[in-house]
Amino acid sequence: MNKLFAFLLVSAFLIASCTTTKPTTVTPMETRELDDLVVKAKKIEQKPENIKVPVYHGTRTLDNDLIHTKLDVRFDIPAQELMGKATLTLKPVFYPVSNLILDAKYFTFTQVRLNGPNGPSLKYDYDNTQINIQLEKHYSRKDQYKIYLEYTAHPTQGPKGGSAAIQSDQGLYFIDPNETDPEKPTQIWTQGETESNSKWCPTIDTPNERATHEIAITIADKYETLSNGRLERSVKNTDGTRTDYWNMDMPAAPYLMMMAIGDYAVVRDTWKGKPIAYYVEHEYKDYATDIFPYTKELLTFYSDMLGVPYPWQKYDQVVVRDYVSGAMENTTAVIFQEFMNGTKRELMDQPRNELIVAHEMFHHWFGDYVTCESWANTTLNEGFANYAEYLWLEHKHGKDEADQHLEDELMGYIDNRPYHPLIDYHYGNREDMFDGHSYNKGGCTLHMLRNLVGDEAFFASLNRYLTANALSAVELAELRMAFEDELGTDMHWFFDQWYGHAGHPELEVIHSYDATTQKLTVTIEQTQKGDNIPEVYLLPLKVDIYNNKGKPTRHTIEMTARKQSFTIASNFDPVVVELDPEGTLVGTIEYLDRSDLAWQELYHFMPSYRSRVHAVQHLMIPLREKGKLKEFAKALIKDPYHGIRETGLFALEGEQLDVATLATIEKIAKTDSSTKARANALKTLAETGDQKYVPLVKTILADDSLAYTVTGAALSAISQLAPDQAAAAIKPLENIQNQSILSSIGEIYVNDPSPSHLAFFEKNLTKIKGFEAVDFFGNYVVTVLKVEPNNLGEAFERLKNISTDMTQIPERRFASAKILAEFRSQAGDHPLSAIVTEYLKEIREKETLKELQSIYQQMF
Ligand SMILES: [Zn+2]
């Protein structure tokens, strides 16, 4: 399962590996401060006799084991119902059984029989969530038995649940079931995680169950179907329907079962003899491998890295409409949300597609092949899939790109309070486990573990874990023991403090140098506090000390106390002392005595991305205040990582620039690998007003292979540099519904208001996406004011309708709310002021996304 991408993605940056000398040993000089270690008793408000064991969410007890499910399904699409015939093969796990409890939520049963449709009827109780079937005798663990059920599933019935990551637990979804929406194709698809496949298939719906299954799907012949395993045959029926027989003959957890049905173009290929297929809507047929980029290369990369070749029968991927999450790793049949769709040019600005493909694919080892046995152990699925993104970026795009991702992931976790242990048996709701801990902290912790034990040891241990636990359910101890057995070393301390407890170390660092004794003293204090957060982390750490030439010497220390000093022999007074120089610690580090000058020196020494980006983040405000940001930014635009170059360009906006700096920016505009950097560079060049850039801008406009951000920036640039040529430049782009292009045209049209330009805004109000919507909606309102001022109330109502429609993407909801809030703050006693105030109130009340709710609270 992939989280819906965080709404406010904080873009960071980062690396080039730093040159370091051989580690030297250090003598720790402990200054254990006992006062800090006093454990304060927790306030107990309950009376002693009322204290209970906290709610413990262990692994579900299995009395019966499901071995195989044979399913026959048809649909009443307008009624949003599934008619099913299921034959389940089962056996008692250990103790004899005389009854069978199956999860089956909101079904109507018509037959419950032993063996098959002609077998004896069985008595049962049903409470709308589970069916308890009385077997006709006791079965021992040596027996197998079959149960036959005929039923109608009503997935839209029952209470609605879900989480931030998976927004609904309906299990089975019918899109445009009555074919009333011209914008939407009719589709049927399922979403099983966490325990929602029992909304359409009677099963033992828990991740520690594992069974094979076959599904016969009967549907109108015009539709394609997709399910797990192989399509064995298709049979056309006389009534215009077709039955597809899908067979999943390797066992997997019930939540990984899936079906998807719709009018798709299916693009087929093979990887090492195994079939792969991309299911896309027809208009995207030519872009299937852009929508699911690097699929084959990723299969090879992960197979080789893990030493476990991709284990399943085939690999298929499908984009569905109105999906309730980002993507889902159903075994051999991954479902994705429609934000994946795009043309080759559009997708150049959307590098996240490859990360989602990578994430879901890695689940086919961690999640599908080896499965967390309970939701308390969710990070054994999600932490690995999250870390797969890092591994791919590092391999394909370099360490800076990967380290920027790591930095974003770490911040995503740190902001995700309150903290709970990564393995959490005391969660409130299992859906809450799909959070910034299981994903982000889980991935960052694996990176830290890899750096602790070394690459070879890390991947050998993962191979042992996958091999020893193949096709079974696991808990954390199994991961720990794989490392211990492979490496011959105890790892309990690591797994206990990082997985068994909440939080992370928060370090404060100071240093001093004694020229007489030639000794450097580095004092580190752990300041973290909170429920279930260790007061002291055992931390093996690296320290780089830099001389004034920027050459680092690396030392290794081990922190074992809350506050501790380390003495390091050094024949020079270090310019910078940098803890955790490669940026692998899951935690924060604050340098209490580091000057801005030292931060600047550190940046110029070109250390790892993490150190560079921290220097940049630290210096932006103080240097701006001192009027010294321009000089620093001139260095940033030459950084090897595009994220830092982009920051440099941003900092140079509106500055008077010298010839050499402009030449660097021109080079970025022409050839940079980052579309964003190229776009920013074009903006800066346009601001100079210098006509000499017109030919460059026109060359870019004429190149129809470029990303739309670059073309959009060129369009804005031509309107600034040569306004008389803007109309001609817009013409070939006017019908492209891309946010960068629409936004740039909007910027031009707002300065040239006319009824036809107002019509352009109105036509594209529903098309603009992303944060570009803010400017676009703003320019729309300004154009209405200039062209049709009497229609302003209508324009505001349209914006309000976008903000209060929760099926709209969050960026659009935010953008329209922001424009309304800006109007109200400037409107004074404008006649529409009162109604806009009402609109804002309604927007606040209807918003369901937590991040937006808190932004709105600050905004209006
Ligand atoms: Zn996932």
Side-chain angles (χ1 to χ4, degrees):
M1 170 63 51
N2 202 296
K3 288 171 295 180
L4 270 174
F5 267 67
F7 165 57
L8 290 173
L9 291 177
V10 182
S11 222
F13 348 79
L14 242 238
I15 182 190
S17 60
C18 53
T19 47
T20 53
T21 54
K22 205 163 168 251
T24 55
T25 49
V26 174
T27 321
M29 181 182 78
E30 285 199 23
T31 55
R32 222 178 254 272
E33 295 210 334
L34 291 172
D35 282 352
D36 289 332
L37 287 172
V38 172
V39 179
K40 292 190 185 82
K42 266 191 220 153
K43 205 163 68 178
I44 297 171
E45 287 167 357
Q46 293 160 299
K47 288 181 186 164
E49 61 269 28
N50 292 338
I51 296 174
K52 292 179 187 159
V53 176
V55 176
Y56 176 81
H57 298 285
T59 305
R60 179 155 4 154
T61 302
L62 295 177
D63 298 320
N64 286 283
D65 182 24
L66 180 64
I67 296 164
H68 184 71
T69 301
K70 185 172 186 215
L71 195 61
D72 179 307
V73 300
R74 286 143 215 273
F75 304 91
D76 181 340
I77 297 176
Q80 304 189 51
E81 289 173 345
L82 173 150
M83 289 77 75
K85 295 174 187 171
T87 310
L88 274 52
T89 308
L90 301 117
K91 71 180 274 300
V93 173
F94 187 84
Y95 299 107
V97 300
S98 58
N99 73 315
L100 165 68
I101 296 175
L102 294 172
D103 299 292
K105 296 172 187 134
Y106 299 91
F107 286 25
T108 309
F109 289 99
T110 50
Q111 303 279 347
V112 179
R113 293 175 182 271
L114 192 68
N115 293 329
N118 300 318
S121 273
L122 296 172
K123 286 187 181 156
Y124 64 89
D125 296 314
Y126 182 54
D127 67 358
N128 269 338
T129 58
Q130 289 189 318
I131 179 168
N132 186 352
I133 303 166
Q134 304 304 310
L135 303 173
E136 85 296 2
K137 61 164 191 164
H138 278 82
Y139 287 90
S140 83
R141 69 182 194 269
K142 294 188 180 118
D143 302 323
Q144 274 195 11
Y145 62 96
K146 285 186 182 178
I147 298 292
Y148 175 78
L149 306 110
E150 271 186 43
Y151 61 93
T152 301
H154 313 279
T156 57
Q157 290 183 10
K160 312 253 179 283
S163 65
I166 312 161
Q167 294 164 331
S168 163
D169 61 359
Q170 186 178 309
L172 173 65
Y173 299 80
F174 295 82
I175 305 305
D176 195 26
N178 296 302
E179 303 190 18
T180 49
D181 187 341
E183 300 279 315
K184 280 182 191 167
T186 296
Q187 293 179 349
I188 303 170
W189 47 262
T190 63
Q191 167 52 38
E193 198 172 29
T194 51
E195 297 175 9
S196 303
N197 275 339
S198 48
K199 291 290 288 258
W200 57 275
C201 172
T203 190
I204 299 173
D205 205 351
T206 173
N208 56 323
E209 181 53 84
R210 186 174 283 266
T212 54
H213 66 257
E214 56 195 299
I215 309 181
I217 303 171
T218 300
I219 193 79
D221 194 26
K222 63 181 175 180
Y223 293 121
E224 296 287 343
T225 76
L226 174 61
S227 188
N228 318 89
R230 285 187 192 274
L231 177 64
E232 298 223 307
R233 62 189 193 282
S234 286
V235 177
K236 291 203 182 199
N237 306 311
T238 50
D239 60 355
T241 63
R242 189 185 77 247
T243 305
D244 288 348
Y245 294 84
W246 291 89
N247 186 3
M248 181 62 179
D249 58 6
M250 292 172 71
Y255 75 89
L256 296 165
M257 291 173 78
M258 76 81 76
M259 298 184 292
I261 295 159
D263 179 15
Y264 284 109
V266 185
V267 178
R268 297 187 192 279
D269 200 347
T270 59
W271 173 82
K272 299 200 172 176
K274 293 186 176 185
I276 59 178
Y278 312 102
Y279 284 61
V280 290
E281 290 180 29
H282 290 279
E283 65 172 299
Y284 296 109
K285 187 168 183 268
D286 293 341
Y287 310 111
T289 54
D290 301 305
I291 290 169
F292 305 111
Y294 306 115
T295 296
K296 291 164 74 171
E297 198 177 332
L298 277 158
L299 283 165
T300 304
F301 172 60
Y302 290 142
S303 294
D304 292 350
M305 191 180 67
L306 296 167
V308 177
Y310 175 74
W312 305 95
Q313 304 94 326
K314 60 122 159 86
Y315 197 73
D316 293 344
Q317 299 172 99
V318 60
V319 177
V320 302
R321 291 291 186 104
D322 296 348
Y323 188 49
V324 291
S325 184
M328 177 68 206
E329 67 270 20
N330 312 296
T331 321
T332 76
V334 181
I335 285 191
F336 295 81
Q337 206 199 62
E338 67 199 79
F339 62 52
M340 296 290 283
N341 283 338
T343 63
K344 191 183 189 68
R345 258 184 111 177
E346 283 166 347
L347 292 169
M348 286 176 180
D349 287 319
Q350 197 161 307
R352 70 185 175 188
N353 275 33
E354 67 188 88
L355 294 188
I356 305 175
V357 170
H359 178 112
E360 304 309 325
M361 187 186 288
F362 210 59
H363 271 310
H364 281 70
W365 286 267
F366 298 90
D368 297 4
Y369 194 55
V370 170
T371 308
C372 68
E373 67 174 30
S374 70
W375 304 116
N377 285 276
T378 294
T379 197
L380 293 180
N381 290 5
E382 297 304 344
F384 279 101
N386 178 288
Y387 191 47
E389 300 166 21
Y390 182 97
L391 293 168
W392 170 251
L393 287 174
E394 183 187 30
H395 164 78
K396 188 69 185 174
H397 303 291
K399 199 161 183 316
D400 279 7
E401 196 82 44
D403 281 346
Q404 181 198 318
H405 188 62
L406 187 77
E407 175 83 5
D408 289 348
E409 292 300 307
L410 181 65
M411 290 305 127
Y413 149 67
I414 285 176
D415 290 343
N416 194 199
R417 290 168 186 272
Y419 299 138
H420 63 78
L422 255 184
I423 304 293
D424 190 359
Y425 288 98
H426 302 292
Y427 58 74
N429 182 321
R430 61 174 183 261
E431 307 292 343
D432 298 340
M433 290 302 292
F434 292 78
D435 65 357
H437 298 208
S438 294
Y439 286 83
N440 306 40
K441 188 186 181 187
C444 295
T445 301
L446 288 169
H447 185 61
M448 187 168 56
L449 177 59
R450 174 183 161 198
N451 280 275
L452 177 73
V453 299
D455 278 14
E456 199 179 343
F458 181 74
F459 292 111
S461 301
L462 293 190
N463 178 280
R464 179 183 279 256
Y465 171 70
L466 289 168
T467 310
N469 300 293
L471 298 172
S472 76
V474 285
E475 60 179 289
L476 181 71
E478 279 152 316
L479 180 64
R480 171 175 56 80
M481 290 191 296
F483 275 84
E484 291 181 340
D485 292 349
E486 188 66 26
L487 309 182
T489 179
D490 179 74
M491 298 293 288
H492 216 292
W493 66 274
F494 181 91
F495 282 84
D496 183 56
Q497 76 181 9
W498 292 105
Y499 286 88
H501 288 85
H504 54 267
E506 294 171 27
L507 307 183
E508 291 181 357
V509 187
I510 51 169
H511 77 267
S512 59
Y513 182 68
D514 186 332
T516 327
T517 58
Q518 298 213 319
K519 281 197 171 132
L520 168 72
T521 303
V522 181
T523 302
I524 311 170
E525 184 170 4
Q526 303 191 19
T527 63
Q528 69 278 356
K529 54 175 184 270
D531 280 354
N532 211 354
I533 297 174
E535 294 204 59
V536 184
Y537 278 85
L538 175 62
L539 296 177
L541 288 166
K542 295 191 174 76
V543 185
D544 278 358
I545 61 172
Y546 285 86
N547 67 12
N548 57 9
K549 301 250 171 16
K551 184 172 159 18
T553 313
R554 181 156 297 181
H555 303 269
T556 304
I557 59 174
E558 186 168 272
M559 199 174 185
T560 56
R562 191 157 168 95
K563 186 170 182 180
Q564 205 168 354
S565 292
F566 302 89
T567 52
I568 298 171
S570 174
N571 57 10
F572 60 90
D573 184 1
V575 178
V576 179
V577 173
E578 183 75 342
L579 208 62
D580 185 37
E582 285 161 301
T584 63
L585 179 73
V586 178
T588 59
I589 302 173
E590 206 180 331
Y591 296 93
L592 299 182
D593 57 359
R594 186 180 286 174
S595 65
D596 289 349
L597 187 63
W599 277 110
Q600 265 177 284
E601 302 256 31
L602 175 66
Y603 176 78
H604 291 296
F605 294 159
M606 280 290 126
S608 69
Y609 170 80
R610 200 100 174 262
S611 295
R612 292 204 318 281
V613 78
H614 288 165
V616 173
Q617 286 165 353
H618 181 90
L619 288 165
M620 293 302 274
I621 292 172
L623 290 184
R624 190 182 291 278
E625 282 169 355
K626 288 181 199 152
K628 290 182 175 171
L629 184 57
K630 185 166 138 183
E631 280 313 304
F632 186 57
K634 281 161 93 178
L636 299 187
I637 61 172
K638 292 179 182 163
D639 194 278
Y641 183 60
H642 66 82
I644 292 183
R645 294 199 296 277
E646 287 156 21
T647 305
L649 287 164
F650 180 71
L652 288 175
E653 269 180 25
E655 297 281 357
Q656 282 290 330
L657 300 173
D658 55 75
V659 174
T661 305
L662 283 168
T664 306
I665 295 173
E666 190 177 348
K667 192 166 158 240
I668 293 173
K670 280 180 182 162
T671 58
D672 203 281
S673 60
S674 154
T675 59
K676 212 165 146 194
R678 288 185 77 175
N680 289 353
L682 280 166
K683 191 174 173 200
T684 306
L685 296 180
E687 277 168 4
T688 64
D690 193 331
Q691 295 295 304
K692 78 172 180 182
Y693 298 120
V694 171
L696 166 64
V697 171
K698 287 176 82 170
T699 306
I700 289 173
L701 279 169
D703 186 347
D704 65 5
S705 71
L706 295 177
Y708 285 127
T709 40
V710 180
T711 307
L715 199 53
S716 301
I718 201 83
S719 77
Q720 272 175 279
L721 294 171
D724 55 317
Q725 297 183 45
I730 287 171
K731 210 155 187 57
L733 298 168
E734 211 178 26
N735 289 320
I736 290 174
Q737 288 166 354
N738 171 272
Q739 60 215 51
S740 301
I741 301 295
L742 291 174
S743 169
S744 293
I745 296 176
E747 288 291 325
I748 297 166
Y749 283 177
V750 74
N751 294 317
D752 181 18
S754 70
S756 75
H757 290 170
L758 178 58
F760 164 84
F761 282 109
E762 286 174 343
K763 181 177 139 203
N764 291 299
L765 274 186
T766 57
K767 314 289 183 203
I768 186 86
K769 291 181 195 157
F771 287 111
E772 283 87 346
V774 176
D775 287 341
F776 193 85
F777 291 161
N779 289 331
Y780 161 61
V781 169
V782 173
T783 307
V784 172
L785 259 173
K786 289 176 180 168
V787 180
E788 294 277 2
N790 292 336
N791 292 352
L792 192 60
E794 213 175 287
F796 286 150
E797 194 182 351
R798 283 181 168 192
L799 293 183
K800 185 265 293 183
N801 289 342
I802 293 171
S803 279
T804 52
D805 176 0
M806 293 304 115
T807 66
Q808 301 266 347
I809 57 170
E811 291 94 329
R812 286 173 54 79
R813 306 205 299 266
F814 166 78
S816 41
K818 186 168 193 304
I819 298 305
L820 290 171
E822 276 178 10
F823 170 81
R824 197 194 54 180
S825 71
Q826 295 165 22
D829 55 0
H830 188 282
L832 290 171
S833 198
I835 192 152
V836 170
T837 301
E838 281 305 304
Y839 285 168
L840 290 171
K841 199 169 147 227
E842 190 183 336
I843 289 168
R844 250 197 328 258
E845 282 166 4
K846 289 198 173 156
E847 182 53 55
T848 54
L849 192 70
K850 249 186 356 201
E851 288 90 337
L852 275 186
Q853 286 167 350
S854 78
I855 290 172
Y856 288 170
Q857 253 171 14
Q858 292 166 31
M859 206 161 81
F860 53 84

